Amino acid sequence: MTESLFGPAAPMELAPGAWLLPGLALEAEPALLAALQAVLAQAPWRQMQTPGGQTMQVAMSNCGPLGWVSSRAGYRYQALDPLSGQAWPPMPTVFQTLARHAAELAHYENFAPDACLINRYLPGTRLSLHQDRDERDFSQPIVSVSLGLPAVFLFGGLQRADKTLRLPLSHGDVLVWGGPARLRFHGVMPVAQGQHPRLGAQRINLTFRRAC
Ligand code: MD6
Ligand code: FE
């Protein structure tokens, strides 16, 4: 969705507990992109291994006290970046403020993420259908910020075989889900070729979670 002359469009409830906040990240865009560059300078993109030994298409990084990692040993959250052996970069204040504001608009109070997973999709990259279940407390929502090239988000049900809704997401859109939507299956269709004026040929997604 694009921002109108009147600012971001109104929140839309997609399903019980799941909200689309069109263009919510646009106002803070310059600060978000500057903070993102600083995080990536300390914790660069890397393609992790799945537990099955495949290389993930999506390149990842993290910031905040905990980062999501995948390896032959499985999926987990950990305080140290396996590439550097150092703590992940701190979560920038502009990230925390946006995540909390988005959660509030979706009626989740006092969201205090301790993990921000950063995903990069080059054209052709997809993310297969999955559930997010590596977090300790499923009563906490997830806030997801889309930047750069648009993508079609697949929003499924609680069973893998359930019908999926195709939701187009644009630069600046924010998705919040929790409560009855927290364990819905979801994924991302292959990102189409394109050029975003500021981010070039890539889609970047920030997902904020309370992992512990
Ligand atoms: C993405 N997002 O949009 C991948 N997971 O690039 C996710 O896997 C995701 O957006 C849980 C909640 C929101 C999400
Ligand atoms: Fe996910």
Side-chain angles (χ1 to χ4, degrees):
M1 302 237 172
T2 51
E3 195 181 28
S4 71
L5 285 173
F6 311 102
M12 290 169 43
E13 192 167 22
L14 303 168
W19 292 80
L20 173 63
L21 308 170
L24 186 71
L26 291 175
E27 197 185 351
E29 188 215 82
L32 281 175
L33 296 185
L36 178 63
Q37 286 322 308
V39 165
L40 292 170
Q42 272 184 259
W45 297 122
R46 80 288 307 270
Q47 282 172 279
M48 298 182 189
Q49 298 292 115
T50 66
Q54 308 269 88
T55 299
M56 297 185 75
Q57 281 189 10
V58 179
M60 298 181 176
S61 184
N62 288 280
C63 62
L66 292 170
W68 186 88
V69 298
S70 177
S71 73
R72 292 304 298 251
Y75 305 129
R76 64 202 171 277
Y77 284 94
Q78 62 178 51
L80 300 184
D81 175 350
L83 265 191
S84 66
Q86 307 284 92
W88 298 103
M91 198 182 297
T93 304
V94 61
F95 282 26
Q96 295 180 47
T97 304
L98 174 62
R100 179 177 289 242
H101 180 213
E104 249 164 41
L105 289 173
H107 311 287
Y108 298 103
E109 304 302 323
N110 299 312
F111 179 53
D114 57 9
C116 173
L117 171 65
I118 308 170
N119 287 335
R120 181 194 66 187
Y121 300 74
L122 300 179
T125 304
R126 64 192 283 272
L127 183 67
S128 54
L129 221 56
H130 67 278
Q131 287 173 302
D132 286 23
R133 45 186 331 146
D134 301 320
E135 300 75 27
R136 189 165 292 167
D137 179 1
F138 295 146
S139 77
Q140 293 289 317
I142 296 179
V143 171
S144 162
V145 178
S146 291
L147 298 169
L149 290 179
V152 176
F153 192 80
L154 295 172
F155 186 66
L158 294 174
Q159 308 290 328
R160 182 177 291 277
D162 288 347
K163 206 161 84 63
T164 57
L165 178 79
R166 285 162 147 73
L167 180 69
L169 293 177
S170 296
H171 179 72
D173 287 349
V174 180
L175 202 54
V176 181
W177 63 16
R182 181 61 179 74
L183 290 174
R184 279 179 179 254
F185 279 86
H186 58 280
V188 178
M189 300 269 284
V191 169
Q193 291 287 349
Q195 281 289 331
H196 183 271
R198 272 151 327 276
L199 285 166
Q202 59 182 341
R203 170 176 186 261
I204 294 178
N205 176 260
L206 313 175
T207 46
F208 296 92
R209 303 117 191 282
R210 183 82 204 175
C212 271

